[in-house]
Amino acid sequence: MTKLSVNINKIATLRNARGGNVPDLLKMAKDIQNFGAQGITIHPRPDERHIRYQDAYDLKAIVTTEYNIEGNPMDNFTKMVLEIKPTQVTLVPDAVDAITSNAGWDTVKHKDYLKEIIAEFKRNDIRTSIFVDPSLRMIEGAAETGTDRIELYTEEFADQYSLGNKEAIKPYTECAILANKLGLGINAGHDLSLDNIEFFKENIPNLLEVSIGHALISESLYYGLEKVIAGYLKKLSS
């Protein structure tokens, strides 16, 4: 079964819009786990416009499943991750002003940098994953960094699937096959939804984990958080 890690950034965005503590991020994280999700993902950014760095520390005591912290490994981020020691750190090459993640790592150009930072996290018993585009060359480069896993950047698949183009899955399948041969675990995320998750999962061999936030929280406005999480778990277990 592929694990579902729920990205709670959007819950923090809603909280921050009015100040105070409504919705309560920590209670929501507890509830999400109680509803069956196997992980909590956060992606703090330097401007703390949604998840605050203090949230990352506070969640440490709350997350009893898998705790995944995503972000660009700048000094403050790296210091925080090493102090918290989450289950997994996912390295994402965000620009400081990026609205959301919009590209994977060039694992060839940045191989030495990634090797160094990944080695530091692994010395601290933190599983590492790096965000990559569906490119065979980038998968090969990822294997040379020493990372435990990759996270496939799925925006292009999601966009094309919504237009009826199921052929868009092919580069992801090819990358997954190569990753499996190279001993890399496979995660995925970005614009995955109830509409496309089952098809994606069926075509990605040995998909270990998906991280879903924006679509899941948006769908929950209509159907409720508990029902939506149950829907994802059903599709991911088929």
Side-chain angles (χ1 to χ4, degrees):
M1 178 178 175
T2 303
K3 290 184 177 181
L4 171 65
S5 186
V6 176
N7 186 315
I8 59 174
N9 277 21
K10 285 296 183 292
I11 295 170
T13 299
L14 184 59
R15 175 200 62 188
N16 295 353
R18 288 286 296 269
N21 196 39
V22 177
D24 185 328
L25 189 78
L26 301 186
K27 182 179 184 304
M28 292 291 283
K30 287 181 181 178
D31 290 340
I32 286 165
Q33 293 172 103
N34 288 336
F35 295 154
Q38 295 106 339
I40 296 292
T41 290
I42 61 170
H43 190 147
R45 288 182 167 83
D47 62 6
E48 299 187 290
R49 64 181 180 269
H50 34 61
I51 292 292
R52 300 166 182 153
Y53 272 44
Q54 186 58 50
D55 293 328
Y57 288 94
D58 293 342
L59 282 161
K60 173 65 175 176
I62 300 299
V63 180
T64 57
T65 54
E66 290 200 359
Y67 191 12
N68 175 43
I69 302 181
E70 300 180 339
N72 193 324
M74 295 178 285
D75 290 345
N76 286 346
F77 177 88
T78 298
K79 177 177 180 292
M80 176 192 68
V81 171
L82 291 174
E83 290 175 348
I84 294 173
K85 290 185 170 58
T87 315
Q88 176 175 268
V89 58
T90 300
L91 307 182
V92 184
D94 292 348
V96 172
D97 58 351
I99 294 175
T100 186
S101 305
N102 54 20
W105 286 97
D106 183 331
T107 58
V108 176
K109 179 179 180 181
H110 299 291
K111 181 177 72 173
D112 290 341
Y113 171 70
L114 288 168
K115 284 178 70 173
E116 182 179 352
I117 190 66
I118 286 167
E120 178 66 14
F121 287 133
K122 292 179 74 171
R123 278 194 294 270
N124 284 270
D125 297 320
I126 303 168
R127 188 173 73 222
T128 59
S129 178
I130 52 178
F131 199 58
V132 292
D133 297 319
S135 158
L136 296 177
R137 186 165 176 259
M138 294 303 106
I139 303 303
E140 291 172 346
E144 295 180 8
T145 68
T147 190
D148 299 300
R149 297 187 183 186
I150 55 167
E151 179 174 330
L152 291 170
Y153 173 37
T154 52
E155 181 179 20
E156 179 66 16
F157 158 75
D159 284 347
Q160 290 299 310
Y161 186 88
S162 70
L163 298 174
N165 179 17
K166 293 186 177 180
E167 294 298 302
I169 194 66
K170 284 186 175 180
Y172 295 87
T173 303
E174 292 169 356
C175 284
I177 291 169
L178 178 59
N180 283 318
K181 288 180 179 178
L182 296 174
L184 294 170
I186 303 168
N187 299 341
H190 204 93
D191 289 346
L192 295 175
S193 68
L194 282 173
D195 290 334
N196 60 38
I197 189 63
E198 188 169 12
F199 180 81
F200 184 82
K201 192 257 185 184
E202 288 173 347
N203 287 276
I204 304 299
N206 299 318
L207 179 62
L208 297 177
E209 177 183 294
V210 291
S211 173
I212 305 178
H214 183 81
L216 189 152
I217 300 303
S218 298
E219 291 156 348
S220 297
L221 295 176
Y222 288 95
Y223 308 116
L225 191 58
E226 185 172 7
K227 288 183 179 179
V228 168
I229 289 174
Y232 276 101
L233 293 175
K234 182 178 180 180
K235 290 174 184 290
L236 289 169
S237 65
S238 61

